[in-house]
Amino acid sequence: MDDQAWYLRTSKLALALAIIHSKPADKSSREYTEHLARTVSGQESKWRAKVKALEAEVLQLRQKQLLSRICSGSFESGGPSSQLQAQEPRSSENTSTLLEDSGCVLSNDQRTEPSEMTEHSGESCISTPFPPLSIVNRPCAPLEKPLSSHMQFLQHLLGLKTLTESESLKTDLSHFENASSTVSDSVFQLLDGLITFYREPKLPCSSFWIEAVDTLARLISDCNLSNHILKKCSKKLEEFEKTLLQVILSNNHINRFQVQHYVSQSLVTLGSCSLLRKSIISLLLSEVNSFADDLGAINQVQGNYDVTRYENIFSVFCVLEQLLQKETEEGNASRMGHEDQEIKTFLQKHDETILQLSDAFPLFTFYLWRLGTLLNSVEIGTVENNSRP
């Protein structure tokens, strides 16, 4: 027996003897052990909740610190302040407008009257390029509340990047890479909350969740931030995509179509990011291919099929059509055709599946034909691009 195993057995024996010697007279050793286990378990859950709350507070402080550093231009090695100070002072009204247009929320105490700005223009405009931003508490539903600060922080971040990279304030914010853990941790927490909500979405669905998905898509579309986010959150993003798909497919409530429309819109919004669109299209096509195979097998034996799944698959078709159209509009279609296995599988079986199922499932085959038309245009675009000198 090695030392570790011996120590473990000795510790268990010592603990058992201590429990036996200390148990009350009116309880058996088993009852007293179960009582102690419940007590320790309850304390452990309280400590875990406390640790989680403290971690959330630390993350929020890191978010505020990062925003403050950006606003004050205090990044090291050629921070924004050195370039921003060369700009002419702006009026308070123009600065506030720019910040609001960039997606940043200014509380009342962050606004400066034009007269005050004039008096301190020689001092405040140079020392602080932007007024300080804070993450304000908005009225939220209980499930939205924990995510509100993360979403505001990420929106502030995108807004400030847009502002500082505009023509009027040309500033290199590659310094974000040094604070990437704050951004990726915030995205991870946002994804966690989104997955929790979309597993059981409640009506009426708040616009907060679509806004959160849109913020997520814009973040991953940012070339400076996407690599850091995807390194930490790629599996979480994949889980989120699968969660959205399963909500569409498995919902069997009578009044499910409003929820399906909402979730479908979330998938389309997430797919507005070109880096995520390919994986979403592949995931949805995989489900279509699988369902077409199942219908083919059922049709041969004249068996019963899952009506709920059949009805829900049309929402998947609608999402796919919108994403493929978006891909074609952005000129990315030629990159997909020969690379994606699900597209190859779909196109190889397309004509045969339509002939086999058209009598029994005419609406399904009509949508297959529409989807095939879009995917064939992708293939044609690929051939044309490859044939160019």
PDB file of all heavy atoms in Angstrom, residues 84-101:
ATOM      1  N   LEU A  84      -4.590  61.373 -28.586  1.00  0.00           N
ATOM      2  CA  LEU A  84      -5.820  62.136 -28.404  1.00  0.00           C
ATOM      3  C   LEU A  84      -5.542  63.567 -27.969  1.00  0.00           C
ATOM      4  O   LEU A  84      -6.302  64.476 -28.276  1.00  0.00           O
ATOM      5  CB  LEU A  84      -6.707  61.447 -27.369  1.00  0.00           C
ATOM      6  CG  LEU A  84      -7.346  60.144 -27.833  1.00  0.00           C
ATOM      7  CD1 LEU A  84      -7.976  59.438 -26.650  1.00  0.00           C
ATOM      8  CD2 LEU A  84      -8.380  60.409 -28.900  1.00  0.00           C
ATOM      9  N   GLN A  85      -4.444  63.789 -27.239  1.00  0.00           N
ATOM     10  CA  GLN A  85      -4.154  65.127 -26.755  1.00  0.00           C
ATOM     11  C   GLN A  85      -3.839  66.082 -27.897  1.00  0.00           C
ATOM     12  O   GLN A  85      -3.956  67.296 -27.761  1.00  0.00           O
ATOM     13  CB  GLN A  85      -2.978  65.085 -25.776  1.00  0.00           C
ATOM     14  CG  GLN A  85      -3.356  64.453 -24.445  1.00  0.00           C
ATOM     15  CD  GLN A  85      -2.150  64.270 -23.554  1.00  0.00           C
ATOM     16  OE1 GLN A  85      -1.080  64.775 -23.851  1.00  0.00           O
ATOM     17  NE2 GLN A  85      -2.331  63.542 -22.472  1.00  0.00           N
ATOM     18  N   ALA A  86      -3.420  65.510 -29.026  1.00  0.00           N
ATOM     19  CA  ALA A  86      -3.109  66.354 -30.172  1.00  0.00           C
ATOM     20  C   ALA A  86      -4.357  66.859 -30.874  1.00  0.00           C
ATOM     21  O   ALA A  86      -4.288  67.761 -31.699  1.00  0.00           O
ATOM     22  CB  ALA A  86      -2.247  65.582 -31.174  1.00  0.00           C
ATOM     23  N   GLN A  87      -5.508  66.254 -30.539  1.00  0.00           N
ATOM     24  CA  GLN A  87      -6.749  66.685 -31.159  1.00  0.00           C
ATOM     25  C   GLN A  87      -7.244  67.979 -30.525  1.00  0.00           C
ATOM     26  O   GLN A  87      -6.971  68.284 -29.380  1.00  0.00           O
ATOM     27  CB  GLN A  87      -7.826  65.601 -30.984  1.00  0.00           C
ATOM     28  CG  GLN A  87      -7.397  64.230 -31.526  1.00  0.00           C
ATOM     29  CD  GLN A  87      -7.233  64.245 -33.024  1.00  0.00           C
ATOM     30  OE1 GLN A  87      -7.964  64.960 -33.705  1.00  0.00           O
ATOM     31  NE2 GLN A  87      -6.282  63.469 -33.529  1.00  0.00           N
ATOM     32  N   GLU A  88      -8.016  68.726 -31.289  1.00  0.00           N
ATOM     33  CA  GLU A  88      -8.607  69.944 -30.745  1.00  0.00           C
ATOM     34  C   GLU A  88      -9.645  69.589 -29.711  1.00  0.00           C
ATOM     35  O   GLU A  88     -10.356  68.596 -29.851  1.00  0.00           O
ATOM     36  CB  GLU A  88      -9.262  70.752 -31.881  1.00  0.00           C
ATOM     37  CG  GLU A  88      -8.236  71.287 -32.888  1.00  0.00           C
ATOM     38  CD  GLU A  88      -8.923  72.128 -33.932  1.00  0.00           C
ATOM     39  OE1 GLU A  88     -10.148  72.340 -33.812  1.00  0.00           O
ATOM     40  OE2 GLU A  88      -8.247  72.583 -34.854  1.00  0.00           O
ATOM     41  N   PRO A  89      -9.779  70.413 -28.652  1.00  0.00           N
ATOM     42  CA  PRO A  89     -10.792  70.124 -27.625  1.00  0.00           C
ATOM     43  C   PRO A  89     -12.184  70.107 -28.227  1.00  0.00           C
ATOM     44  O   PRO A  89     -12.519  70.909 -29.095  1.00  0.00           O
ATOM     45  CB  PRO A  89     -10.632  71.294 -26.639  1.00  0.00           C
ATOM     46  CG  PRO A  89      -9.249  71.819 -26.881  1.00  0.00           C
ATOM     47  CD  PRO A  89      -8.969  71.593 -28.330  1.00  0.00           C
ATOM     48  N   ARG A  90     -13.003  69.168 -27.728  1.00  0.00           N
ATOM     49  CA  ARG A  90     -14.382  69.053 -28.205  1.00  0.00           C
ATOM     50  C   ARG A  90     -15.310  69.682 -27.194  1.00  0.00           C
ATOM     51  O   ARG A  90     -15.008  69.763 -26.019  1.00  0.00           O
ATOM     52  CB  ARG A  90     -14.776  67.575 -28.371  1.00  0.00           C
ATOM     53  CG  ARG A  90     -13.973  66.886 -29.444  1.00  0.00           C
ATOM     54  CD  ARG A  90     -14.407  65.426 -29.534  1.00  0.00           C
ATOM     55  NE  ARG A  90     -13.745  64.777 -30.645  1.00  0.00           N
ATOM     56  CZ  ARG A  90     -14.181  64.815 -31.890  1.00  0.00           C
ATOM     57  NH1 ARG A  90     -15.287  65.459 -32.177  1.00  0.00           N
ATOM     58  NH2 ARG A  90     -13.530  64.206 -32.845  1.00  0.00           N
ATOM     59  N   SER A  91     -16.466  70.074 -27.680  1.00  0.00           N
ATOM     60  CA  SER A  91     -17.481  70.541 -26.747  1.00  0.00           C
ATOM     61  C   SER A  91     -18.062  69.354 -26.017  1.00  0.00           C
ATOM     62  O   SER A  91     -17.992  68.223 -26.479  1.00  0.00           O
ATOM     63  CB  SER A  91     -18.597  71.277 -27.508  1.00  0.00           C
ATOM     64  OG  SER A  91     -19.346  70.359 -28.266  1.00  0.00           O
ATOM     65  N   SER A  92     -18.663  69.620 -24.860  1.00  0.00           N
ATOM     66  CA  SER A  92     -19.274  68.539 -24.075  1.00  0.00           C
ATOM     67  C   SER A  92     -20.378  67.869 -24.859  1.00  0.00           C
ATOM     68  O   SER A  92     -20.551  66.667 -24.815  1.00  0.00           O
ATOM     69  CB  SER A  92     -19.827  69.107 -22.768  1.00  0.00           C
ATOM     70  OG  SER A  92     -20.578  68.167 -22.081  1.00  0.00           O
ATOM     71  N   GLU A  93     -21.118  68.692 -25.615  1.00  0.00           N
ATOM     72  CA  GLU A  93     -22.255  68.148 -26.347  1.00  0.00           C
ATOM     73  C   GLU A  93     -21.794  67.157 -27.397  1.00  0.00           C
ATOM     74  O   GLU A  93     -22.337  66.078 -27.545  1.00  0.00           O
ATOM     75  CB  GLU A  93     -23.033  69.291 -26.997  1.00  0.00           C
ATOM     76  CG  GLU A  93     -24.288  68.819 -27.732  1.00  0.00           C
ATOM     77  CD  GLU A  93     -25.031  69.982 -28.359  1.00  0.00           C
ATOM     78  OE1 GLU A  93     -24.632  71.143 -28.123  1.00  0.00           O
ATOM     79  OE2 GLU A  93     -26.006  69.713 -29.075  1.00  0.00           O
ATOM     80  N   ASN A  94     -20.727  67.517 -28.127  1.00  0.00           N
ATOM     81  CA  ASN A  94     -20.238  66.626 -29.171  1.00  0.00           C
ATOM     82  C   ASN A  94     -19.671  65.343 -28.582  1.00  0.00           C
ATOM     83  O   ASN A  94     -19.870  64.252 -29.115  1.00  0.00           O
ATOM     84  CB  ASN A  94     -19.143  67.326 -29.998  1.00  0.00           C
ATOM     85  CG  ASN A  94     -19.716  68.433 -30.863  1.00  0.00           C
ATOM     86  OD1 ASN A  94     -20.904  68.448 -31.121  1.00  0.00           O
ATOM     87  ND2 ASN A  94     -18.867  69.360 -31.288  1.00  0.00           N
ATOM     88  N   THR A  95     -18.920  65.485 -27.472  1.00  0.00           N
ATOM     89  CA  THR A  95     -18.332  64.296 -26.854  1.00  0.00           C
ATOM     90  C   THR A  95     -19.402  63.358 -26.340  1.00  0.00           C
ATOM     91  O   THR A  95     -19.344  62.153 -26.538  1.00  0.00           O
ATOM     92  CB  THR A  95     -17.413  64.704 -25.684  1.00  0.00           C
ATOM     93  OG1 THR A  95     -16.437  65.623 -26.164  1.00  0.00           O
ATOM     94  CG2 THR A  95     -16.716  63.490 -25.091  1.00  0.00           C
ATOM     95  N   SER A  96     -20.429  63.919 -25.678  1.00  0.00           N
ATOM     96  CA  SER A  96     -21.513  63.088 -25.157  1.00  0.00           C
ATOM     97  C   SER A  96     -22.257  62.395 -26.282  1.00  0.00           C
ATOM     98  O   SER A  96     -22.620  61.220 -26.174  1.00  0.00           O
ATOM     99  CB  SER A  96     -22.491  63.934 -24.340  1.00  0.00           C
ATOM    100  OG  SER A  96     -21.837  64.498 -23.232  1.00  0.00           O
ATOM    101  N   THR A  97     -22.463  63.140 -27.399  1.00  0.00           N
ATOM    102  CA  THR A  97     -23.170  62.562 -28.528  1.00  0.00           C
ATOM    103  C   THR A  97     -22.399  61.395 -29.116  1.00  0.00           C
ATOM    104  O   THR A  97     -22.962  60.354 -29.431  1.00  0.00           O
ATOM    105  CB  THR A  97     -23.398  63.641 -29.620  1.00  0.00           C
ATOM    106  OG1 THR A  97     -24.129  64.714 -29.041  1.00  0.00           O
ATOM    107  CG2 THR A  97     -24.151  63.046 -30.807  1.00  0.00           C
ATOM    108  N   LEU A  98     -21.063  61.582 -29.258  1.00  0.00           N
ATOM    109  CA  LEU A  98     -20.242  60.507 -29.790  1.00  0.00           C
ATOM    110  C   LEU A  98     -20.301  59.271 -28.921  1.00  0.00           C
ATOM    111  O   LEU A  98     -20.423  58.147 -29.397  1.00  0.00           O
ATOM    112  CB  LEU A  98     -18.781  60.967 -29.917  1.00  0.00           C
ATOM    113  CG  LEU A  98     -18.441  61.800 -31.156  1.00  0.00           C
ATOM    114  CD1 LEU A  98     -17.050  62.392 -31.006  1.00  0.00           C
ATOM    115  CD2 LEU A  98     -18.530  60.963 -32.411  1.00  0.00           C
ATOM    116  N   LEU A  99     -20.218  59.477 -27.611  1.00  0.00           N
ATOM    117  CA  LEU A  99     -20.251  58.340 -26.690  1.00  0.00           C
ATOM    118  C   LEU A  99     -21.590  57.638 -26.718  1.00  0.00           C
ATOM    119  O   LEU A  99     -21.672  56.421 -26.688  1.00  0.00           O
ATOM    120  CB  LEU A  99     -19.932  58.802 -25.268  1.00  0.00           C
ATOM    121  CG  LEU A  99     -18.452  59.143 -25.029  1.00  0.00           C
ATOM    122  CD1 LEU A  99     -18.293  59.826 -23.684  1.00  0.00           C
ATOM    123  CD2 LEU A  99     -17.598  57.900 -25.092  1.00  0.00           C
ATOM    124  N   GLU A 100     -22.684  58.425 -26.797  1.00  0.00           N
ATOM    125  CA  GLU A 100     -24.004  57.814 -26.845  1.00  0.00           C
ATOM    126  C   GLU A 100     -24.192  57.050 -28.146  1.00  0.00           C
ATOM    127  O   GLU A 100     -24.729  55.954 -28.175  1.00  0.00           O
ATOM    128  CB  GLU A 100     -25.086  58.876 -26.677  1.00  0.00           C
ATOM    129  CG  GLU A 100     -25.156  59.410 -25.248  1.00  0.00           C
ATOM    130  CD  GLU A 100     -26.026  60.645 -25.145  1.00  0.00           C
ATOM    131  OE1 GLU A 100     -26.341  61.228 -26.199  1.00  0.00           O
ATOM    132  OE2 GLU A 100     -26.370  61.037 -24.028  1.00  0.00           O
ATOM    133  N   ASP A 101     -23.698  57.651 -29.272  1.00  0.00           N
ATOM    134  CA  ASP A 101     -23.808  56.977 -30.555  1.00  0.00           C
ATOM    135  C   ASP A 101     -23.000  55.696 -30.585  1.00  0.00           C
ATOM    136  O   ASP A 101     -23.290  54.773 -31.322  1.00  0.00           O
ATOM    137  CB  ASP A 101     -23.327  57.896 -31.697  1.00  0.00           C
ATOM    138  CG  ASP A 101     -24.307  59.036 -31.934  1.00  0.00           C
ATOM    139  OD1 ASP A 101     -25.444  58.935 -31.434  1.00  0.00           O
ATOM    140  OD2 ASP A 101     -23.926  60.017 -32.589  1.00  0.00           O
TER     141      ASP A 101
END
